[in-house]
Amino acid sequence: MSADLRGYTVLVTGGSSGLGFEMSKALLQSGATVIIAARAGERLERARAALAAAGDVHAVAMDVRDETSVAAAKEWFERNFRRLDMLVNDAGIGFNAPGMEGLAPEHDFWDIPAGAVRAVLETNLLGFFLVSGSFVPLMLRNGGGSLVYVSTSDATMTRPGQLPYGPSKAGAEAMAAILAQELKPRGVRVNVICPGGFTDTNMAPPGLTERMRAAGLPVLPPTVLNEVILYLASNPAADLGGEKLVGKDFAQWRSEHE
Ligand SMILES: NC(=O)c1ccc[n+]([C@@H]2O[C@H](COP(=O)([O-])OP(=O)(O)OC[C@H]3O[C@@H](n4cnc5c(N)ncnc54)[C@H](OP(=O)(O)O)[C@@H]3O)[C@@H](O)[C@H]2O)c1
């Protein structure tokens, strides 16, 4: 879809890679100012440089698990930007969490190191809380905005083998549902989005994408959420809140809702 997002400012956590990187590119190409956030390091700077040709992009180091880092990113944001229209909470980890790499595919749940569980919950759930808590008040200053959480398919939340990732996303969706109700009267729309299946990004353990393709299993492209995020940033979605939009099925959803 085409959207005119000139004058619209978006912060994308996890913008250094995968779905967040591609959504940032689509938003930039539609004229938005985009701030990508991820942990400090070369990957963030490489992503900013790669996106520079697409539009007005900026990068800020922010570890979503760490309130001091989030507070510093917020201060930087306030020094450099007048308003925030959309916050995309995309930063996330799963089977790439530290300590998960040694696990056999058929492991028992008690084999999962506590540190890996902690890292996944802190990134996917606590991170959503910390970043939203810091940046939503900035949206309220300009009368509201759009808060987005990048989740997973419903089936992934409770499928065997999906500890601790599934519950982290289930918890975050419960939080999104609460925020959708609490923030609606104050002009902030809260929606959840997800790809709708396994997506080719850096989150996949090495070799898995190739094995899935070889087995004829579906692999979604990392651009699968681009149309969804452009839609949420544009006028047709001005009243949409408390929804879960699935990238793979979005064209169908749109044809049924417009
Ligand atoms: N790939 C899939 O099949 C799939 C399916 C459903 C949902 N999702 C969700 O999509 C979102 C994006 O994942 P992806 O698939 O695009 O994976 P990805 O390519 O690994 O990207 C993850 C992003 O999160 C950032 N990140 C991780 N930990 C962070 C932290 N503590 N603070 C700040 N940023 C952090 C990473 O940046 P740095 O490492 O540079 O900090 C990176 O930019 C996740 O929430 C994931 O759960 C993915």
Side-chain angles (χ1 to χ4, degrees):
M1 76 176 271
S2 66
D4 181 357
L5 298 179
R6 283 173 294 181
Y8 197 79
T9 302
V10 188
L11 174 65
V12 182
T13 72
S16 69
S17 174
L19 294 155
F21 178 87
E22 295 297 341
M23 285 189 280
S24 297
K25 191 192 280 183
L27 290 161
L28 287 163
Q29 287 169 340
S30 295
T33 291
V34 178
I35 299 94
I36 58 168
R39 287 168 290 187
E42 246 181 56
R43 182 147 90 147
L44 178 60
E45 182 42 35
R46 268 203 311 272
R48 192 206 59 77
L51 290 169
D56 184 25
V57 65
H58 307 260
V60 64
M62 171 163 68
D63 186 333
V64 300
R65 300 166 299 182
D66 173 4
E67 54 265 53
T68 307
S69 173
V70 174
K74 180 191 176 189
E75 273 176 42
W76 171 89
F77 185 95
E78 285 188 283
R79 278 199 306 277
N80 289 284
F81 301 94
R82 278 191 309 111
R83 56 183 290 133
L84 177 63
D85 297 291
M86 173 183 260
L87 166 62
V88 184
N89 288 278
D90 168 83
I93 57 171
F95 290 94
N96 57 348
M100 296 290 281
E101 58 285 314
L103 285 178
E106 298 303 320
H107 60 265
D108 287 309
F109 81 85
W110 52 82
D111 296 330
I112 303 170
V117 178
R118 196 171 285 123
V120 170
L121 292 173
E122 287 187 350
T123 306
N124 299 355
L125 181 54
L126 176 69
F128 177 31
F129 173 81
L130 292 176
V131 178
S132 300
S134 279
F135 285 90
V136 165
L138 302 187
M139 282 183 192
L140 295 177
R141 279 189 212 159
N142 44 270
S146 174
L147 177 61
V148 179
Y149 183 75
V150 181
S151 187
T152 192
S153 303
D154 293 355
T156 304
M157 293 175 186
T158 50
R159 198 168 46 230
Q162 288 295 339
L163 277 172
Y165 180 73
S168 75
K169 293 293 183 182
E173 282 204 28
M175 191 165 108
I178 293 168
L179 296 187
Q181 297 166 79
E182 290 187 0
L183 295 173
K184 186 175 177 196
R186 303 170 76 181
V188 177
R189 301 176 287 118
V190 182
N191 292 289
V192 171
I193 64 177
C194 76
F198 179 84
T199 309
D200 183 11
T201 70
N202 285 316
M203 186 176 274
L208 179 59
T209 308
E210 294 69 23
R211 286 200 300 282
M212 289 192 59
R213 285 206 174 101
L217 296 168
V219 175
L220 297 169
T223 52
V224 65
L225 288 175
N226 288 7
E227 292 290 309
V228 181
I229 205 67
L230 292 181
Y231 177 77
L232 287 176
S234 60
N235 283 333
D239 294 325
L240 195 75
E243 277 285 343
K244 180 170 183 175
L245 301 176
V246 181
K248 179 170 68 72
D249 305 330
F250 181 59
Q252 170 83 24
W253 181 91
R254 225 180 146 183
S255 70
E256 288 166 5
H257 288 79
E258 281 183 3

